[in-house]
Amino acid sequence: MRVAISKNGKIINMIEAETVEFAQGLFPDAVALSSDGLGIGWTDAGGGVYEAPPAPEPERVAYSPLEFMDLFTDAEESAIRILARSTDPTKLQISVKVEAFLARIAVASVIYLDDKRIVKGIAALRQIGIIETDARQADILAGRVPV
């Protein structure tokens, strides 16, 4: 049977043993418990109830500027670059912001998709229509490369 070994209120080991009592004899300075779905790292919440440890934070993925730009379709990237170079007086304010966004990306050593500046920039590209749908915006921020 599977037996959990608890020390100081935390499961520190899982073993196979004939009985809980046998396992207790192997670990006299700990508490042997019938595993019942317990795992290493679980903690005593009181009253013999054990709780699973919190889920680990998802690992942040770092993108190079080139990898980041690969998240855009060719049409999106072209539209971004054309707008950044626009001299149309009606688009000048947006053009300057898009140009600044591209410049920051170009000098970044790494880009994180959850960085507030990236999220804000992608939202702006969605708002002006370069990114055409909310689903496409979500794909970019999730790091899904277009096919």
Side-chain angles (χ1 to χ4, degrees), residues 67-110:
E67 291 168 327
F68 175 72
M69 292 308 295
D70 284 344
L71 298 175
F72 296 94
T73 64
D74 290 342
E76 290 165 345
E77 185 175 354
S78 293
I80 292 166
R81 294 194 183 283
I82 288 168
L83 182 56
R85 293 186 187 107
S86 176
T87 56
D88 181 338
T90 64
K91 298 179 182 177
L92 195 55
Q93 187 176 14
I94 295 169
S95 174
V96 169
K97 288 181 180 181
V98 170
E99 183 179 23
F101 182 68
L102 286 177
R104 289 179 129 187
I105 289 166
V107 299
S109 55
V110 296

Side-chain angles (χ1 to χ4, degrees), residues 3-147:
V3 179
I5 306 301
S6 176
K7 194 165 189 177
N8 300 321
K10 186 173 186 177
I11 305 294
I12 59 167
N13 201 352
M14 299 294 295
I15 66 167
E16 290 288 331
E18 291 290 323
T19 64
V20 173
E21 293 76 21
F22 179 78
Q24 185 64 64
L26 295 174
F27 296 90
D29 295 336
V31 177
L33 307 161
S34 176
S35 71
D36 293 332
L38 300 176
I40 293 175
W42 287 46
T43 55
D44 188 348
V49 175
Y50 279 76
E51 294 179 339
E57 290 290 322
E59 189 175 318
R60 288 180 89 193
V61 177
Y63 291 82
S64 70
L66 181 60
E67 291 168 327
F68 175 72
M69 292 308 295
D70 284 344
L71 298 175
F72 296 94
T73 64
D74 290 342
E76 290 165 345
E77 185 175 354
S78 293
I80 292 166
R81 294 194 183 283
I82 288 168
L83 182 56
R85 293 186 187 107
S86 176
T87 56
D88 181 338
T90 64
K91 298 179 182 177
L92 195 55
Q93 187 176 14
I94 295 169
S95 174
V96 169
K97 288 181 180 181
V98 170
E99 183 179 23
F101 182 68
L102 286 177
R104 289 179 129 187
I105 289 166
V107 299
S109 55
V110 296
I111 297 167
Y112 294 103
L113 300 180
D114 62 350
D115 183 298
K116 66 181 180 182
R117 296 164 294 189
I118 296 299
V119 172
K120 186 176 176 181
I122 298 300
L125 294 174
R126 168 70 182 109
Q127 186 176 19
I128 61 177
I130 289 176
I131 298 171
E132 294 183 349
T133 67
D134 291 342
R136 183 71 193 106
Q137 178 181 348
D139 282 346
I140 293 167
L141 292 174
R144 289 189 279 275
V145 177
V147 286

